[in-house]
Amino acid sequence: MKIETEKGHEIVSRILLTKISEGEWKPGDKLPSVVELSSSFGVGRSTVREALSALKAMGWLDIRHGGGTFVKKELPSERKDGADPFKDAASMMELLEVRKVLETGTASLAARNRKDEDLDALQAILRTMREALERDDTAAGEQADVAFHAAIAAASHNSLLSGLMDSLAERLGRTIGQTRELWFYQETSTAVRLLEEHEGIYEAIAAGNAEEASRLIGTHLTKVENVLRERL
């Protein structure tokens, strides 16, 4: 089978999903390698990685660093009937809209109110993100990403804002993981740019530049939103 289309990753995703839904690959089974799938479908390895990362983001696959890709032992219950795995897009978009409203203000306050210990915490998280990138450890990168945004809320020293961010923590973590998988897994250079964006936000907060911190985090979230619209 040869796939020649700008949306090859979406077609490959749906083919893989069909194989899982129809039982060709059962829960716990290891999938063929990226090289084998690339040859089988007649597409580039990046297209296959993009398709795999999309299905991982939707809860179908477990991608183990250095160990291969496996069908999840516990499949998403609401999708065992073959429902469209991309149906969560609207919910993810709504959360991003909320995040833009909330986090632009939070970053501005953090730039005004941050203390030395807040900057230390943000720096430590950035180091973790950098180390995760060097190891190609997507799970650690996702956790650090969530922690970074939570630390900005803490640095605002506004208990109501921090509480609002805490109330969104579970959904925030899930959405960050999904968008990172959809966007960054197959392209290391994009992950590098993501780290640089977080570093820029930190620098604005450290410099006490409230307007710049708000602008940078708004730009960052708009990019994520645009990628999500395109991919989902």
Side-chain angles (χ1 to χ4, degrees):
M1 179 185 300
K2 186 172 179 61
I3 298 171
E4 293 180 348
T5 172
E6 291 181 358
K7 293 193 175 182
H9 65 278
E10 183 175 336
I11 293 175
V12 171
S13 294
R14 294 181 185 276
I15 292 172
L16 296 175
L17 179 61
T18 297
K19 290 179 178 291
I20 297 170
S21 299
E22 294 181 351
E24 182 173 339
W25 292 329
K26 296 178 174 57
D29 283 355
K30 184 176 182 179
L31 271 61
S33 68
V34 170
V35 173
E36 290 169 326
L37 291 172
S38 173
S39 176
S40 175
F41 296 140
V43 298
R45 297 179 190 180
S46 62
T47 298
V48 172
R49 291 192 181 101
E50 193 170 354
L52 294 174
S53 62
L55 292 182
K56 181 191 174 192
M58 299 303 172
W60 288 93
L61 299 177
D62 179 16
I63 300 175
R64 302 173 189 173
H65 180 59
T69 301
F70 297 79
V71 180
K72 282 270 194 179
K73 291 184 178 180
E74 293 292 333
L75 297 179
S77 57
E78 69 276 18
R79 297 180 190 131
K80 287 180 181 176
D81 59 357
D84 188 347
F86 301 100
K87 68 181 181 180
D88 287 342
S91 176
M92 293 168 70
M93 291 301 305
E94 287 181 351
L95 181 57
L96 274 170
E97 289 169 355
V98 171
R99 288 184 63 193
K100 280 201 294 184
V101 172
L102 183 62
E103 293 194 56
T104 50
T106 301
S108 176
L109 276 178
R112 294 188 179 98
N113 299 335
R114 85 285 183 276
K115 302 182 185 303
D116 288 344
E117 54 265 33
D118 299 315
L119 298 181
D120 291 341
L122 287 167
Q123 283 185 320
I125 294 168
L126 287 173
R127 283 195 298 271
T128 299
M129 292 180 72
R130 198 174 300 112
E131 291 166 359
L133 177 61
E134 291 170 355
R135 298 195 309 270
D136 194 23
D137 187 338
T138 56
E142 291 168 12
Q143 292 169 5
D145 200 330
V146 174
F148 183 82
H149 290 272
I152 291 175
S156 73
H157 292 280
N158 182 301
S159 60
L160 289 178
L161 275 176
S162 295
L164 285 171
M165 286 294 289
D166 288 343
S167 71
L168 293 172
E170 182 179 349
R171 291 188 66 191
L172 177 61
R174 185 166 64 249
T175 300
I176 283 178
Q178 288 172 322
T179 52
R180 285 176 69 97
E181 287 296 336
L182 287 168
W183 191 9
F184 308 128
Y185 175 81
Q186 77 284 1
E187 189 178 339
T188 302
S189 61
T190 304
V192 170
R193 289 198 297 274
L194 175 66
L195 173 60
E196 291 172 347
E197 288 181 12
H198 284 81
E199 289 174 336
I201 294 166
Y202 163 78
E203 289 168 3
I205 291 173
N209 191 332
E211 183 177 348
E212 181 70 355
S214 179
R215 184 188 71 81
L216 288 174
I217 204 163
T219 299
H220 166 66
L221 291 174
T222 297
K223 287 181 181 179
V224 175
E225 180 182 17
N226 290 339
V227 168
L228 189 59
R229 287 186 188 279
E230 175 187 345
R231 296 296 167 90
L232 296 182

